Amino acid sequence: MPDPIPFIDLKEQRKRLGAGLDEAIARVLEHGRFILGPEVAELEGELANFCGAKHCITCANGTDALVLLLMAEGIGEGDAVFVPAFTFVATAEAVCLVGATPVFCDVHEDTFNLDADSLAVTVPHAKSLGLNPRAVIPVDLFGQPADYPSIQRVADEFGLSVIADAAQSFGGELGNQKVGKFGKASAVSFFPAKPLGCYGDGGAIFTDDDTLAETLVSLRMHGEGGDKYVNVRVGQNSRLDTLQAAILLQKLTIFGDELDLRQQIAMRYTEKLDGYGVPIIIDGAKSAWAQYTILSDDRDELAARAKSQGIPTAIYYPRPLSLQTCYANFPSVPGGVPVSERLSAKVISLPMHPYLDAPTQDRIIESVKEAVK
Ligand SMILES: *Cc1c(COP(=O)(O)O)cnc(C)c1O
């Protein structure tokens, strides 16, 4: 069997970062300000700059970024928060963690992202169940921004806050705006496998809203009010470690180039796998290509063949959240989520990272074609 291919290769990136990374880590060990040290504020400035948002507030992980935003909005018991059924569990989990009710909407067949029409019929349904509609969390699945203009129109009609789950899409764009600028605020994850990942858990929130930013700074630090031992609200312990901030500052220096590399690799897949259920990117959108996901009726055959050739694949996500045991009792759009169900049965993700070379990619492409013919 040829050498096994990694699904996501972090070793090449580490090589490229070289001694600069070791030195950045050594500097933190030296100054010893492990919590909210100088690298954290520096990173927040650079990240805000990168996407053009007014504020960046880092936190412990992407799930917390969502939870902190819901807390800041005062969302809790009796409130409905609309989420797509086809997403990673954290989107709905965050809603439950603040005591609110996740209400599942369906997604678009082509982009896999929240369908604004589905949202428009789900909001009155939630009201009829006695819930108070408060927010919607569109997800930028696999790195492609959701259709924010359409979602914002529906959200405005019903008075919902738009909180973007941009855990997979930092670096993406829509209509010349970068991810981090959509909705009232965006939640980003720096989990190692995300497009911009650290060496552990990490997350950030982006917003242009001064009041919201101030509240978030307090919430991530036990609800402090200007001084560590003055507590003005019930908060959390959710900070990004200084070490992770130092690592991210190094990674940010090559992130733009890595996004270009991801784009080239994705375009190569799309060109060579034309007719094999390749992903569709909407006009004016740029994906951060967290995943390269195709649709296949022969998914099991494809995965088995690839595996026998040392090629890993993954299924994101095998089941809509609304059908998971622990979420099945929450409300869904009337008529259910047939698109999410169909997608769950067909999606399969191929190895994707900036350092996937052409010969290796050709091996993957050949394997897919053999399995599907
Ligand atoms: C990864 C992810 C999250 C959660 O991020 P963590 O940093 O792992 O907590 C939330 N939503 C989506 C869509 C994700 O992919």
Side-chain angles (χ1 to χ4, degrees):
M1 188 171 90
D3 289 346
I5 297 171
F7 190 69
I8 290 176
D9 186 356
L10 294 173
K11 293 205 184 101
E12 274 306 310
Q13 185 198 51
R14 196 271 167 267
K15 264 194 240 158
R16 179 175 175 185
L17 292 168
L21 181 65
D22 300 273
E23 287 156 17
I25 292 170
R27 280 196 294 275
V28 177
L29 300 184
E30 203 55 44
H31 70 54
R33 295 170 63 188
F34 299 115
I35 300 295
L36 299 181
E39 285 85 352
V40 175
E42 189 187 342
L43 176 70
E44 290 176 338
E46 300 256 335
L47 289 171
N49 217 17
F50 182 91
C51 68
K54 193 163 174 200
H55 303 280
C56 169
I57 302 94
T58 54
C59 61
N61 55 67
T63 308
D64 274 7
L66 289 168
V67 170
L68 291 166
L69 278 168
L70 293 166
M71 288 171 83
E73 289 284 285
I75 291 170
E77 210 174 320
D79 293 336
V81 178
F82 302 89
V83 299
F86 190 57
T87 177
F88 180 59
V89 65
T91 317
E93 185 182 45
V95 178
C96 294
L97 286 173
V98 298
T101 302
V103 182
F104 296 103
C105 303
D106 212 354
V107 298
H108 279 290
E109 193 103 45
D110 49 359
T111 61
F112 313 159
N113 282 333
L114 180 71
D115 181 346
D117 294 338
S118 180
L119 174 64
V121 297
T122 313
V123 180
H125 177 61
K127 270 190 201 159
S128 76
L129 297 173
L131 293 165
N132 182 22
R134 293 287 310 277
V136 54
I137 310 183
V139 178
D140 303 343
L141 207 67
F142 306 143
Q144 169 163 221
D147 181 0
Y148 287 99
S150 305
I151 293 165
Q152 190 70 55
R153 271 195 294 278
V154 177
D156 290 345
E157 185 186 334
F158 293 105
L160 306 175
S161 297
V162 176
I163 295 172
D165 182 341
Q168 303 183 3
S169 62
F170 192 67
E173 293 175 26
L174 181 67
N176 291 325
Q177 289 228 298
K178 288 213 159 71
V179 164
K181 291 291 284 179
F182 304 110
K184 185 162 189 185
S186 306
V188 168
S189 166
F190 302 126
F191 181 81
K194 311 283 180 177
L196 179 62
C198 56
Y199 289 145
D201 278 310
I205 298 160
F206 296 88
T207 184
D208 289 347
D209 185 316
D210 298 340
T211 313
L212 178 59
E214 203 175 303
T215 306
L216 290 164
V217 166
S218 164
L219 281 172
R220 75 168 171 188
M221 184 83 168
H222 303 292
E224 67 157 30
D227 181 276
K228 197 169 172 186
Y229 299 107
V230 176
N231 307 100
V232 294
R233 52 174 69 78
V234 177
Q236 276 207 66
N237 172 4
S238 185
R239 285 124 4 176
L240 179 73
D241 291 345
T242 309
L243 274 170
Q244 299 300 345
I247 290 160
L248 284 166
L249 277 167
Q250 295 299 307
K251 290 197 180 199
L252 197 55
T253 62
I254 59 169
F255 184 54
D257 182 55
E258 289 188 336
L259 286 168
D260 291 343
L261 291 170
R262 282 179 189 272
Q263 177 68 16
Q264 284 164 27
I265 289 159
M267 288 306 97
R268 199 157 181 276
Y269 266 140
T270 295
E271 187 186 311
K272 300 208 169 194
L273 286 173
D274 187 26
Y276 291 85
V278 296
I280 294 167
I281 303 300
I282 55 175
D283 274 352
K286 230 177 114 179
S287 177
W289 295 110
Q291 300 295 339
Y292 190 89
T293 304
I294 63 172
L295 295 173
S296 172
D297 293 326
D298 311 301
R299 176 170 82 183
D300 294 345
E301 162 70 15
L302 197 161
R305 177 179 288 263
K307 191 174 175 207
S308 76
Q309 298 172 336
I311 301 167
T313 57
I315 296 180
Y316 306 121
Y317 298 94
R319 185 183 277 218
L321 290 187
S322 50
L323 301 181
Q324 296 279 6
T325 324
C326 53
Y327 292 99
N329 291 328
F330 293 114
S332 286
V333 52
V337 292
V339 180
S340 298
E341 286 185 46
R342 268 203 300 284
L343 293 174
S344 299
K346 288 188 179 186
V347 283
I348 181 161
S349 302
L350 307 178
M352 180 72 200
H353 60 83
Y355 305 102
L356 186 64
D357 61 48
T360 308
Q361 193 179 16
D362 286 339
R363 249 176 78 192
I364 299 163
I365 290 163
E366 274 321 300
S367 177
V368 171
K369 287 185 166 174
E370 282 165 22
V372 176
K373 75 178 161 218

